[in-house]
Coordinates of all heavy atoms in Angstrom, one line a residue:
M1 N -3.8 -3.2 -38.9 CA -5.0 -2.6 -38.0 C -6.3 -3.3 -38.3 O -6.4 -3.6 -39.4 CB -5.1 -1.1 -38.2 CG -4.1 -0.3 -37.6 SD -4.8 1.2 -36.7 CE -5.7 1.9 -38.1
R2 N -6.9 -3.4 -37.2 CA -8.4 -4.1 -37.3 C -9.3 -3.4 -36.5 O -8.9 -3.1 -35.3 CB -8.1 -5.5 -36.9 CG -9.3 -6.4 -37.5 CD -8.9 -7.9 -37.5 NE -10.0 -8.6 -37.7 CZ -10.2 -9.9 -37.7 NH1 -9.2 -10.6 -37.4 NH2 -11.4 -10.6 -37.8
K3 N -10.6 -3.1 -37.1 CA -11.7 -2.6 -36.2 C -12.1 -3.4 -35.2 O -12.2 -4.7 -35.3 CB -12.8 -2.3 -37.1 CG -13.8 -1.6 -36.4 CD -15.0 -1.1 -37.4 CE -16.2 -0.6 -36.7 NZ -17.3 -0.3 -37.7
L4 N -12.1 -2.9 -33.9 CA -12.3 -3.8 -32.8 C -13.8 -3.6 -32.1 O -14.4 -4.6 -32.0 CB -11.2 -3.4 -31.7 CG -11.2 -4.4 -30.5 CD1 -11.0 -5.8 -30.9 CD2 -10.1 -3.9 -29.6
Y5 N -14.2 -2.4 -31.9 CA -15.4 -2.0 -31.2 C -15.9 -0.6 -31.5 O -15.1 0.3 -31.4 CB -15.2 -2.4 -29.8 CG -16.4 -2.3 -28.9 CD1 -17.4 -3.2 -29.1 CD2 -16.7 -1.3 -28.0 CE1 -18.6 -3.1 -28.3 CE2 -17.8 -1.2 -27.2 CZ -18.7 -2.1 -27.4 OH -19.9 -2.0 -26.7
E6 N -17.1 -0.6 -31.7 CA -17.7 0.8 -31.8 C -18.2 1.2 -30.3 O -19.1 0.6 -29.9 CB -18.8 0.7 -32.9 CG -19.2 2.3 -33.1 CD -20.4 2.2 -34.3 OE1 -20.0 1.6 -35.4 OE2 -21.3 2.8 -34.2
C7 N -17.7 2.3 -29.9 CA -18.2 2.6 -28.5 C -19.3 3.5 -28.5 O -19.6 4.1 -29.5 CB -16.9 3.4 -27.8 SG -15.5 2.3 -27.7
R8 N -20.0 3.6 -27.3 CA -21.2 4.4 -27.2 C -20.7 5.9 -27.0 O -21.5 6.9 -27.4 CB -22.1 4.0 -26.2 CG -21.6 4.1 -24.8 CD -22.4 3.5 -23.8 NE -22.0 3.8 -22.6 CZ -22.4 3.4 -21.3 NH1 -23.5 2.7 -21.5 NH2 -21.9 3.5 -20.2
D9 N -19.6 6.2 -26.5 CA -19.2 7.4 -26.3 C -17.6 7.5 -26.1 O -17.0 6.6 -26.0 CB -19.9 8.3 -25.1 CG -19.7 7.5 -23.8 OD1 -18.7 6.8 -23.6 OD2 -20.6 7.6 -23.1
R10 N -17.1 8.8 -26.1 CA -15.6 8.9 -25.9 C -15.1 8.4 -24.7 O -14.0 7.8 -24.6 CB -15.4 10.5 -26.0 CG -14.0 10.9 -25.7 CD -13.0 10.5 -26.8 NE -11.7 10.3 -26.2 CZ -10.5 10.3 -26.9 NH1 -10.7 10.4 -28.3 NH2 -9.4 10.1 -26.5
L11 N -16.0 8.5 -23.6 CA -15.5 8.0 -22.4 C -15.3 6.5 -22.3 O -14.3 6.0 -21.8 CB -16.5 8.5 -21.1 CG -16.1 7.9 -19.7 CD1 -14.9 8.5 -19.3 CD2 -17.2 8.5 -18.8
Q12 N -16.3 5.8 -22.9 CA -16.2 4.4 -22.9 C -14.8 4.0 -23.8 O -14.2 3.0 -23.3 CB -17.4 3.7 -23.5 CG -17.5 2.2 -23.5 CD -18.6 1.6 -24.2 OE1 -18.9 2.1 -25.3 NE2 -19.1 0.5 -23.7
A13 N -14.8 4.7 -24.8 CA -13.6 4.4 -25.8 C -12.4 4.5 -24.9 O -11.4 3.8 -25.0 CB -13.7 5.3 -26.9
Q14 N -12.2 5.6 -24.1 CA -11.0 5.8 -23.5 C -10.8 4.7 -22.3 O -9.7 4.2 -22.1 CB -11.1 7.3 -22.8 CG -9.7 7.7 -22.2 CD -8.7 7.7 -23.2 OE1 -8.8 8.4 -24.2 NE2 -7.5 7.1 -23.0
I15 N -11.9 4.3 -21.7 CA -11.7 3.3 -20.6 C -11.3 2.0 -21.3 O -10.4 1.2 -20.6 CB -13.1 3.2 -19.8 CG1 -13.2 4.4 -18.8 CG2 -13.1 1.9 -19.1 CD1 -14.4 4.5 -18.2
L16 N -11.9 1.7 -22.4 CA -11.4 0.4 -23.1 C -10.1 0.5 -23.6 O -9.4 -0.5 -23.5 CB -12.4 0.2 -24.2 CG -13.9 -0.4 -23.7 CD1 -14.9 -0.5 -25.0 CD2 -13.9 -1.6 -22.9
H17 N -9.7 1.7 -24.1 CA -8.4 1.8 -24.6 C -7.3 1.6 -23.4 O -6.4 0.8 -23.4 CB -8.2 3.3 -25.2 CG -6.9 3.7 -25.4 ND1 -6.2 3.3 -26.6 CD2 -5.9 4.3 -24.6 CE1 -4.9 3.7 -26.6 NE2 -4.8 4.4 -25.4
D18 N -7.6 2.2 -22.3 CA -6.7 2.0 -21.2 C -6.7 0.6 -20.5 O -5.7 0.1 -20.2 CB -7.2 3.1 -20.0 CG -7.0 4.5 -20.5 OD1 -6.2 4.7 -21.4 OD2 -7.5 5.4 -19.9
A19 N -8.0 0.0 -20.6 CA -8.0 -1.4 -20.1 C -7.2 -2.4 -20.9 O -6.5 -3.2 -20.5 CB -9.5 -1.9 -20.1
L20 N -7.2 -2.1 -22.4 CA -6.5 -3.0 -23.2 C -4.9 -2.6 -23.1 O -4.2 -3.5 -23.2 CB -7.0 -2.7 -24.7 CG -8.4 -3.3 -24.9 CD1 -8.9 -2.7 -26.2 CD2 -8.2 -4.8 -25.0
A21 N -4.6 -1.3 -22.8 CA -3.2 -0.9 -22.8 C -2.6 -1.6 -21.6 O -1.4 -1.9 -21.6 CB -3.2 0.6 -22.6
S22 N -3.4 -1.8 -20.5 CA -2.9 -2.4 -19.3 C -2.5 -3.8 -19.6 O -1.8 -4.5 -18.8 CB -3.8 -2.2 -18.1 OG -4.9 -3.1 -18.3
Q23 N -3.0 -4.4 -20.6 CA -2.9 -5.7 -21.1 C -1.8 -5.9 -22.2 O -1.7 -6.8 -22.9 CB -4.2 -6.5 -21.4 CG -5.2 -6.5 -20.4 CD -4.6 -7.3 -19.2 OE1 -4.0 -8.4 -19.3 NE2 -4.9 -6.9 -18.0
H24 N -1.2 -4.7 -22.4 CA -0.2 -4.6 -23.5 C -0.7 -4.7 -24.8 O 0.0 -5.3 -25.8 CB 1.1 -5.5 -23.2 CG 1.6 -5.4 -21.8 ND1 2.2 -4.2 -21.4 CD2 1.5 -6.1 -20.7 CE1 2.6 -4.5 -20.1 NE2 2.1 -5.6 -19.7
I25 N -2.0 -4.3 -25.0 CA -2.5 -4.4 -26.3 C -2.7 -2.9 -26.8 O -3.4 -2.1 -26.2 CB -4.0 -5.1 -26.3 CG1 -3.8 -6.6 -25.9 CG2 -4.5 -4.9 -27.8 CD1 -5.1 -7.2 -25.7
E26 N -2.0 -2.7 -28.0 CA -2.0 -1.2 -28.5 C -3.3 -1.0 -29.3 O -3.6 -1.7 -30.2 CB -0.7 -1.1 -29.3 CG -0.4 0.3 -29.6 CD 0.9 0.4 -30.4 OE1 1.6 -0.6 -30.6 OE2 1.1 1.4 -31.0
T27 N -4.0 0.1 -29.1 CA -5.1 0.4 -29.7 C -5.2 1.9 -30.0 O -4.5 2.7 -29.3 CB -6.4 0.1 -29.0 OG1 -6.4 0.7 -27.7 CG2 -6.6 -1.4 -28.8
I28 N -5.9 2.2 -31.0 CA -6.2 3.7 -31.2 C -7.7 4.0 -31.4 O -8.4 3.1 -31.7 CB -5.4 4.2 -32.5 CG1 -5.8 3.5 -33.8 CG2 -3.9 4.2 -32.3 CD1 -5.2 4.1 -35.0
I29 N -8.1 5.2 -31.0 CA -9.5 5.6 -31.1 C -9.6 6.5 -32.3 O -8.8 7.5 -32.5 CB -9.8 6.2 -29.8 CG1 -9.6 5.3 -28.7 CG2 -11.3 6.7 -29.9 CD1 -9.7 6.0 -27.3
L30 N -10.5 6.1 -33.2 CA -10.8 6.9 -34.3 C -12.4 7.2 -34.4 O -13.1 6.6 -33.9 CB -10.4 6.2 -35.6 CG -9.0 5.9 -35.9 CD1 -8.8 5.0 -37.1 CD2 -8.0 7.2 -35.9
G31 N -12.7 8.5 -35.0 CA -14.0 8.5 -35.4 C -14.6 9.6 -34.5 O -15.9 9.9 -34.7
D32 N -14.0 10.1 -33.4 CA -14.6 11.1 -32.6 C -14.2 12.4 -32.8 O -14.5 13.4 -32.0 CB -14.4 10.6 -31.1 CG -12.9 10.8 -30.8 OD1 -12.2 10.5 -31.6 OD2 -12.7 10.9 -29.6
Y33 N -13.5 12.7 -33.8 CA -13.0 14.1 -34.1 C -14.1 15.1 -34.5 O -13.8 16.3 -34.5 CB -11.9 14.0 -35.1 CG -10.7 13.1 -34.6 CD1 -10.4 11.9 -35.2 CD2 -10.0 13.5 -33.5 CE1 -9.5 11.1 -34.9 CE2 -8.9 12.7 -33.1 CZ -8.6 11.6 -33.8 OH -7.7 10.7 -33.3
L34 N -15.1 14.5 -35.0 CA -16.2 15.4 -35.5 C -17.2 15.9 -34.5 O -18.0 16.7 -34.6 CB -17.1 14.7 -36.6 CG -16.1 14.2 -37.8 CD1 -17.0 13.7 -38.8 CD2 -15.5 15.4 -38.5
T35 N -16.8 15.5 -33.3 CA -17.8 15.9 -32.2 C -17.8 17.4 -32.0 O -16.7 18.1 -31.9 CB -17.4 15.3 -30.9 OG1 -17.3 13.9 -31.0 CG2 -18.5 15.7 -29.8
G36 N -18.9 18.1 -32.1 CA -19.0 19.5 -32.2 C -19.1 20.1 -30.7 O -19.0 19.3 -29.8
A37 N -19.7 21.2 -30.7 CA -19.8 21.8 -29.5 C -21.0 21.2 -28.6 O -21.8 20.3 -29.3 CB -20.2 23.3 -29.6
A38 N -21.1 21.3 -27.4 CA -22.1 20.6 -26.6 C -23.5 20.9 -27.2 O -23.8 22.0 -27.5 CB -22.0 21.0 -25.2
G39 N -24.4 19.8 -27.3 CA -25.7 20.1 -27.9 C -25.9 19.9 -29.4 O -27.0 19.7 -29.8
E40 N -24.7 19.8 -30.0 CA -24.8 19.6 -31.5 C -24.9 18.1 -31.8 O -23.9 17.5 -32.2 CB -23.6 20.3 -32.2 CG -23.6 21.8 -32.4 CD -22.5 22.2 -33.2 OE1 -22.2 21.7 -34.2 OE2 -21.9 23.3 -32.8
L41 N -26.1 17.6 -31.7 CA -26.2 16.1 -31.8 C -25.7 15.6 -33.3 O -25.3 14.7 -33.4 CB -27.6 15.7 -31.5 CG -28.0 15.9 -30.1 CD1 -29.6 15.4 -30.0 CD2 -27.1 14.9 -29.3
S42 N -26.0 16.5 -34.2 CA -25.7 16.0 -35.7 C -24.2 15.8 -35.8 O -23.8 15.2 -36.7 CB -26.2 17.2 -36.6 OG -25.6 18.4 -36.3
A43 N -23.4 16.5 -35.0 CA -22.0 16.4 -35.1 C -21.3 15.2 -34.5 O -20.3 14.9 -34.7 CB -21.3 17.6 -34.6
I44 N -22.2 14.4 -33.6 CA -21.6 13.4 -32.9 C -21.4 12.0 -33.8 O -22.3 11.7 -34.5 CB -22.5 12.9 -31.7 CG1 -22.4 14.1 -30.7 CG2 -22.1 11.6 -31.1 CD1 -23.3 14.0 -29.5
Q45 N -20.3 11.5 -33.7 CA -19.9 10.2 -34.3 C -19.3 9.3 -33.3 O -18.6 9.8 -32.6 CB -19.0 10.6 -35.5 CG -18.8 9.3 -36.3 CD -17.6 9.7 -37.5 OE1 -17.2 10.7 -37.5 NE2 -17.4 8.6 -38.3
F46 N -19.8 8.1 -33.4 CA -19.4 7.2 -32.3 C -17.8 6.9 -32.6 O -17.5 6.6 -33.6 CB -20.1 5.9 -32.3 CG -21.5 6.1 -31.9 CD1 -22.5 5.9 -32.8 CD2 -21.8 6.4 -30.6 CE1 -23.9 6.1 -32.4 CE2 -23.1 6.6 -30.2 CZ -24.2 6.4 -31.1
P47 N -17.1 7.0 -31.6 CA -15.7 6.7 -31.4 C -15.5 5.1 -31.7 O -16.3 4.3 -31.2 CB -15.0 7.1 -30.2 CG -16.3 7.2 -29.3 CD -17.5 7.4 -30.1
V48 N -14.6 4.7 -32.5 CA -14.2 3.3 -32.9 C -12.8 3.0 -32.4 O -11.9 3.8 -32.6 CB -14.5 3.0 -34.4 CG1 -14.1 1.6 -34.7 CG2 -16.0 3.3 -34.7
I49 N -12.7 1.9 -31.7 CA -11.3 1.4 -31.3 C -10.8 0.4 -32.3 O -11.5 -0.4 -32.7 CB -11.5 0.8 -29.9 CG1 -11.9 1.7 -28.7 CG2 -10.2 -0.1 -29.7 CD1 -11.6 1.1 -27.4
W50 N -9.6 0.7 -32.7 CA -8.9 -0.2 -33.7 C -7.7 -0.9 -32.9 O -7.1 -0.2 -32.1 CB -8.3 0.7 -34.9 CG -9.4 1.2 -35.8 CD1 -10.3 2.3 -35.4 CD2 -9.8 0.8 -37.1 NE1 -11.1 2.5 -36.6 CE2 -10.8 1.6 -37.5 CE3 -9.3 -0.3 -37.8 CZ2 -11.4 1.4 -38.8 CZ3 -10.0 -0.5 -39.1 CH2 -10.9 0.3 -39.5
V51 N -7.6 -2.0 -33.1 CA -6.3 -2.7 -32.7 C -5.2 -2.5 -33.6 O -5.5 -2.7 -34.7 CB -6.6 -4.2 -32.2 CG1 -6.9 -5.0 -33.4 CG2 -5.4 -4.7 -31.3
V52 N -4.0 -2.2 -33.1 CA -3.0 -1.9 -34.0 C -2.4 -3.1 -34.7 O -2.2 -3.3 -35.8 CB -1.9 -1.1 -33.3 CG1 -0.7 -0.9 -34.1 CG2 -2.4 0.2 -32.8
K53 N -2.2 -4.1 -33.8 CA -1.5 -5.4 -34.2 C -2.8 -6.4 -34.4 O -3.4 -6.8 -33.5 CB -0.6 -6.0 -33.4 CG 0.8 -5.0 -33.3 CD 1.6 -5.6 -32.2 CE 2.7 -4.5 -31.9 NZ 3.2 -4.7 -30.5
S54 N -2.9 -6.9 -35.6 CA -4.0 -7.9 -35.8 C -3.8 -9.1 -35.0 O -4.9 -9.7 -34.6 CB -4.0 -8.3 -37.3 OG -4.3 -7.0 -38.2
D55 N -2.5 -9.5 -34.6 CA -2.4 -10.6 -33.7 C -3.2 -10.5 -32.3 O -3.4 -11.5 -31.8 CB -0.9 -10.9 -33.6 CG -0.2 -11.3 -34.8 OD1 -0.9 -11.6 -35.8 OD2 1.1 -11.4 -34.9
D56 N -3.3 -9.3 -32.0 CA -3.8 -9.0 -30.7 C -5.3 -9.0 -30.7 O -6.0 -8.9 -29.7 CB -3.5 -7.6 -30.1 CG -1.9 -7.6 -29.8 OD1 -1.5 -8.7 -29.3 OD2 -1.4 -6.5 -29.7
Y57 N -5.9 -9.2 -32.1 CA -7.4 -9.0 -32.1 C -8.3 -9.9 -31.2 O -9.2 -9.5 -30.5 CB -7.7 -9.1 -33.5 CG -9.3 -8.9 -33.8 CD1 -9.9 -7.6 -34.0 CD2 -10.1 -10.1 -34.0 CE1 -11.1 -7.6 -34.1 CE2 -11.5 -9.9 -34.2 CZ -12.0 -8.6 -34.3 OH -13.3 -8.5 -34.6
Y58 N -8.1 -11.1 -31.2 CA -8.9 -11.9 -30.5 C -8.7 -11.8 -29.0 O -9.8 -12.0 -28.3 CB -8.6 -13.5 -30.9 CG -9.2 -13.8 -32.3 CD1 -8.3 -13.8 -33.4 CD2 -10.6 -13.7 -32.5 CE1 -8.8 -14.0 -34.6 CE2 -11.1 -13.9 -33.9 CZ -10.1 -14.0 -34.9 OH -10.5 -14.2 -36.3
R59 N -7.6 -11.5 -28.5 CA -7.3 -11.3 -27.1 C -8.1 -10.0 -26.6 O -8.8 -10.0 -25.7 CB -5.9 -11.3 -26.8 CG -5.6 -11.5 -25.4 CD -4.1 -12.0 -25.2 NE -3.2 -10.9 -25.7 CZ -2.6 -10.1 -24.8 NH1 -2.9 -10.1 -23.6 NH2 -1.7 -9.2 -25.3
A60 N -8.0 -9.0 -27.6 CA -8.7 -7.9 -27.3 C -10.2 -7.9 -27.3 O -10.7 -7.3 -26.5 CB -8.2 -6.7 -28.4
R61 N -10.6 -8.7 -28.2 CA -12.2 -8.9 -28.3 C -12.5 -9.6 -27.0 O -13.7 -9.2 -26.3 CB -12.6 -9.8 -29.3 CG -12.7 -9.0 -30.6 CD -14.0 -9.1 -31.2 NE -15.1 -8.7 -30.3 CZ -15.9 -7.7 -30.5 NH1 -15.7 -6.8 -31.4 NH2 -16.8 -7.2 -29.6
Q62 N -11.8 -10.5 -26.5 CA -12.2 -11.2 -25.2 C -12.2 -10.3 -24.1 O -13.1 -10.3 -23.1 CB -11.1 -12.3 -24.9 CG -11.5 -13.7 -25.6 CD -10.6 -14.7 -25.1 OE1 -9.4 -14.4 -24.7 NE2 -11.0 -15.9 -25.1
L63 N -11.2 -9.5 -23.9 CA -11.0 -8.6 -22.8 C -12.3 -7.6 -22.9 O -12.9 -7.2 -21.9 CB -9.8 -7.8 -22.9 CG -8.7 -8.6 -22.5 CD1 -7.4 -7.9 -22.9 CD2 -8.6 -8.7 -21.0
I64 N -12.7 -7.0 -24.2 CA -13.7 -6.2 -24.2 C -15.2 -6.9 -23.9 O -16.0 -6.4 -23.2 CB -13.8 -5.6 -25.7 CG1 -12.7 -4.5 -25.8 CG2 -15.2 -5.0 -25.9 CD1 -12.9 -3.8 -27.2
N65 N -15.3 -8.1 -24.4 CA -16.4 -8.8 -23.8 C -16.6 -9.1 -22.5 O -17.7 -8.8 -21.8 CB -16.5 -10.2 -24.6 CG -16.7 -10.1 -26.0 OD1 -17.4 -9.1 -26.6 ND2 -16.4 -11.2 -26.9
Q66 N -15.5 -9.3 -21.8 CA -15.4 -9.6 -20.3 C -15.9 -8.2 -19.8 O -16.7 -8.1 -18.7 CB -14.0 -9.8 -19.9 CG -13.8 -11.3 -20.1 CD -12.3 -11.6 -19.7 OE1 -11.6 -10.7 -19.2 NE2 -11.9 -12.8 -20.1
H67 N -15.3 -7.2 -20.3 CA -15.6 -5.7 -19.7 C -17.0 -5.6 -19.8 O -17.7 -4.9 -18.8 CB -14.8 -4.8 -20.4 CG -14.9 -3.4 -19.9 ND1 -14.0 -3.0 -18.8 CD2 -15.7 -2.4 -20.2 CE1 -14.5 -1.6 -18.5 NE2 -15.4 -1.3 -19.3
L68 N -17.6 -5.8 -21.0 CA -19.0 -5.4 -21.2 C -20.0 -6.2 -20.4 O -20.9 -5.8 -19.9 CB -19.3 -5.6 -22.8 CG -18.5 -4.5 -23.6 CD1 -18.8 -4.8 -25.1 CD2 -18.9 -3.1 -23.3
E69 N -19.7 -7.6 -20.3 CA -20.5 -8.5 -19.4 C -20.5 -8.0 -18.2 O -21.6 -8.1 -17.4 CB -19.9 -9.9 -19.6 CG -20.4 -10.6 -20.9 CD -19.7 -12.0 -21.0 OE1 -19.3 -12.5 -20.1 OE2 -19.6 -12.4 -22.2
G70 N -19.4 -7.7 -17.6 CA -19.3 -7.2 -16.2 C -20.1 -6.1 -16.0 O -20.7 -5.8 -15.0
S71 N -20.3 -5.2 -17.1 CA -21.0 -3.8 -16.9 C -22.4 -4.1 -16.8 O -23.1 -3.4 -16.3 CB -20.7 -3.1 -18.2 OG -19.3 -2.9 -18.4
E72 N -23.0 -5.2 -17.6 CA -24.4 -5.3 -17.6 C -25.1 -5.7 -16.2 O -26.2 -5.4 -16.0 CB -24.8 -6.5 -18.5 CG -24.7 -6.1 -20.0 CD -25.0 -7.1 -20.9 OE1 -25.3 -8.3 -20.5 OE2 -24.6 -7.0 -22.2
N73 N -24.2 -6.4 -15.3 CA -24.7 -6.8 -14.1 C -25.0 -5.7 -13.0 O -25.9 -5.8 -12.2 CB -23.9 -7.8 -13.5 CG -23.6 -9.1 -14.4 OD1 -24.5 -9.3 -15.2 ND2 -22.4 -9.6 -14.4
N74 N -24.4 -4.6 -13.2 CA -24.5 -3.6 -12.2 C -24.4 -2.1 -12.7 O -23.4 -1.7 -13.3 CB -23.4 -3.8 -11.1 CG -23.6 -3.0 -10.0 OD1 -24.4 -2.1 -9.9 ND2 -22.8 -3.2 -8.9
N75 N -25.4 -1.5 -12.7 CA -25.5 -0.1 -13.4 C -25.6 0.9 -12.2 O -25.8 2.1 -12.6 CB -26.5 0.0 -14.4 CG -26.2 -0.8 -15.6 OD1 -25.2 -0.7 -16.1 ND2 -27.2 -1.4 -16.1
E76 N -25.3 0.5 -11.0 CA -25.4 1.4 -10.0 C -24.2 2.5 -10.0 O -23.1 2.0 -10.3 CB -25.4 0.8 -8.7 CG -26.8 0.2 -8.3 CD -26.8 -0.7 -7.2 OE1 -26.0 -0.3 -6.2 OE2 -27.5 -1.7 -7.0
I77 N -24.2 3.7 -9.4 CA -23.1 4.5 -9.4 C -22.3 3.9 -8.2 O -22.8 3.6 -7.2 CB -23.6 5.9 -9.3 CG1 -24.3 6.4 -10.5 CG2 -22.4 6.9 -8.9 CD1 -24.1 7.8 -10.8
W78 N -20.9 3.8 -8.5 CA -20.1 3.5 -7.4 C -19.2 4.5 -7.1 O -18.9 5.4 -8.0 CB -19.4 2.1 -7.7 CG -18.7 2.1 -8.9 CD1 -19.3 1.8 -10.3 CD2 -17.2 2.2 -9.1 NE1 -18.1 1.8 -11.2 CE2 -17.0 2.0 -10.6 CE3 -16.1 2.4 -8.4 CZ2 -15.7 2.2 -11.2 CZ3 -14.9 2.5 -8.8 CH2 -14.7 2.3 -10.2
C79 N -18.5 4.5 -6.1 CA -17.6 5.6 -5.5 C -16.2 5.0 -5.5 O -15.9 4.0 -4.8 CB -18.0 6.0 -4.1 SG -17.2 7.5 -3.7
C80 N -15.3 5.7 -6.3 CA -14.0 5.1 -6.3 C -13.3 5.3 -4.9 O -13.3 6.4 -4.4 CB -13.1 6.0 -7.3 SG -11.4 5.6 -7.4
Q81 N -12.7 4.2 -4.4 CA -12.1 4.3 -3.1 C -10.7 5.0 -3.2 O -10.2 5.4 -2.1 CB -11.9 3.1 -2.5 CG -13.3 2.3 -2.1 CD -13.2 1.3 -1.0 OE1 -12.0 0.7 -0.9 NE2 -14.3 0.7 -0.6
H82 N -10.2 5.1 -4.3 CA -8.9 5.8 -4.5 C -9.1 7.3 -4.5 O -8.3 8.0 -3.8 CB -8.2 5.4 -5.7 CG -6.8 5.7 -5.9 ND1 -6.4 6.8 -6.7 CD2 -5.7 5.4 -5.2 CE1 -5.1 7.0 -6.6 NE2 -4.7 6.2 -5.8
C83 N -9.9 7.9 -5.4 CA -10.0 9.3 -5.4 C -11.3 9.9 -5.1 O -11.4 11.0 -5.0 CB -9.7 9.8 -6.9 SG -11.0 9.4 -8.0
G84 N -12.4 8.9 -4.7 CA -13.6 9.5 -4.2 C -14.6 9.9 -5.3 O -15.6 10.4 -5.0
E85 N -14.2 9.8 -6.6 CA -15.1 10.0 -7.7 C -16.2 9.2 -7.8 O -16.1 7.9 -7.6 CB -14.2 10.2 -8.9 CG -14.8 10.8 -10.1 CD -15.0 12.3 -9.9 OE1 -14.1 13.0 -9.4 OE2 -16.2 12.8 -10.1
E86 N -17.4 9.7 -8.3 CA -18.5 8.7 -8.5 C -18.5 8.4 -10.0 O -18.2 9.2 -10.8 CB -19.8 9.5 -8.3 CG -20.0 9.8 -6.8 CD -21.4 10.4 -6.6 OE1 -22.1 10.9 -7.5 OE2 -22.0 10.3 -5.4
V87 N -18.6 7.1 -10.1 CA -18.4 6.5 -11.5 C -19.6 5.6 -11.9 O -20.3 5.0 -11.0 CB -17.3 5.5 -11.5 CG1 -16.9 5.1 -13.0 CG2 -16.0 6.3 -10.9
E88 N -20.1 5.7 -13.0 CA -21.2 5.0 -13.6 C -20.9 3.5 -13.4 O -19.8 3.0 -13.7 CB -21.4 5.3 -15.0 CG -22.4 6.4 -15.3 CD -22.8 6.5 -16.9 OE1 -23.3 5.5 -17.4 OE2 -22.3 7.5 -17.3
G89 N -22.0 2.7 -13.0 CA -21.8 1.3 -12.8 C -21.4 0.6 -14.2 O -20.9 -0.6 -14.1
A90 N -21.5 1.1 -15.3 CA -21.1 0.4 -16.5 C -19.7 0.3 -16.6 O -19.2 -0.4 -17.4 CB -21.7 1.3 -17.7
F91 N -18.9 1.0 -15.9 CA -17.5 1.2 -15.9 C -16.9 0.4 -14.8 O -17.2 0.6 -13.6 CB -17.0 2.5 -16.0 CG -17.5 3.4 -17.1 CD1 -18.4 4.4 -16.8 CD2 -17.3 3.0 -18.4 CE1 -18.9 5.2 -18.0 CE2 -17.9 3.7 -19.5 CZ -18.6 4.7 -19.2
Q92 N -15.9 -0.4 -15.1 CA -15.0 -1.2 -14.2 C -14.0 -0.5 -13.7 O -13.1 -1.0 -12.8 CB -14.9 -2.6 -14.5 CG -16.0 -3.3 -15.1 CD -17.1 -3.5 -14.0 OE1 -16.7 -4.0 -12.9 NE2 -18.3 -3.2 -14.2
I93 N -13.7 0.7 -14.3 CA -12.3 1.4 -14.0 C -12.9 2.8 -13.7 O -13.7 3.4 -14.4 CB -11.5 1.4 -15.1 CG1 -11.1 -0.1 -15.3 CG2 -10.2 2.2 -14.9 CD1 -10.2 -0.3 -16.7
C94 N -12.3 3.5 -12.7 CA -12.6 4.9 -12.3 C -12.1 5.7 -13.5 O -10.9 5.6 -14.1 CB -11.8 5.3 -11.1 SG -12.0 7.0 -10.7
W95 N -13.0 6.6 -14.2 CA -12.7 7.4 -15.2 C -11.7 8.5 -14.8 O -10.9 9.0 -15.7 CB -13.9 8.1 -15.9 CG -14.7 9.0 -14.9 CD1 -15.6 8.6 -14.2 CD2 -14.4 10.3 -14.8 NE1 -16.1 9.7 -13.4 CE2 -15.3 10.8 -13.9 CE3 -13.5 11.3 -15.3 CZ2 -15.4 12.1 -13.5 CZ3 -13.6 12.6 -14.9 CH2 -14.5 13.1 -14.0
N96 N -11.6 8.9 -13.6 CA -10.8 9.9 -13.1 C -9.4 9.6 -12.9 O -8.5 10.1 -13.4 CB -11.4 10.4 -11.8 CG -10.7 11.8 -11.4 OD1 -10.5 12.7 -12.3 ND2 -10.4 11.9 -10.2
C97 N -9.2 8.5 -12.1 CA -7.8 8.0 -11.7 C -7.5 6.5 -12.3 O -6.3 6.1 -12.2 CB -7.7 8.0 -10.3 SG -8.5 6.8 -9.4
L98 N -8.5 5.9 -13.0 CA -8.1 4.7 -13.6 C -7.8 3.6 -12.6 O -7.4 2.5 -13.0 CB -7.0 4.9 -14.8 CG -7.4 5.9 -15.7 CD1 -6.1 5.9 -16.8 CD2 -8.4 5.5 -16.6
S99 N -8.3 3.7 -11.4 CA -8.2 2.6 -10.5 C -9.3 1.7 -10.9 O -10.5 2.0 -11.2 CB -8.4 3.2 -9.1 OG -7.4 4.0 -8.8
P100 N -8.9 0.3 -10.6 CA -10.1 -0.7 -10.9 C -11.2 -0.5 -9.8 O -10.9 -0.1 -8.7 CB -9.4 -2.1 -10.9 CG -8.1 -1.7 -10.1 CD -7.8 -0.3 -10.3
R101 N -12.4 -0.9 -10.2 CA -13.5 -0.9 -9.1 C -13.1 -1.9 -8.0 O -12.6 -2.9 -8.3 CB -14.7 -1.4 -9.9 CG -15.9 -1.4 -9.1 CD -17.2 -1.6 -10.1 NE -18.3 -1.5 -9.3 CZ -19.6 -1.5 -9.8 NH1 -19.6 -1.8 -11.1 NH2 -20.7 -1.4 -9.2
N102 N -13.5 -1.5 -6.9 CA -13.1 -2.4 -5.7 C -14.5 -3.0 -5.1 O -15.5 -2.6 -5.6 CB -12.5 -1.5 -4.7 CG -13.0 -0.1 -4.6 OD1 -14.1 0.2 -4.5 ND2 -12.1 0.8 -4.8
Ligands
ZN201 ZN1 -10.7 7.3 -8.8

């Protein structure tokens, strides 16, 4: 196992996890279990994505970099054409139904 990326929140961790899974890269998310009730800032710990197979590490990093670079260019909210959910521009995948941004 190898540490891959420290995410800013659970949602981003899940989206990256799913994006990597779609490329057949197995990852696990650790470090977010201490999140307390809403508003308890002291309990928040950033989730960290770990790649299970070290051989996948460089490919996984590339995919994450691509994902993050794509995010910087557009922070507008977009509307998923599949389920109609509003999604933050930072994400290239609908958090609700996991459809790619269109
Ligand atoms: Zn959707």
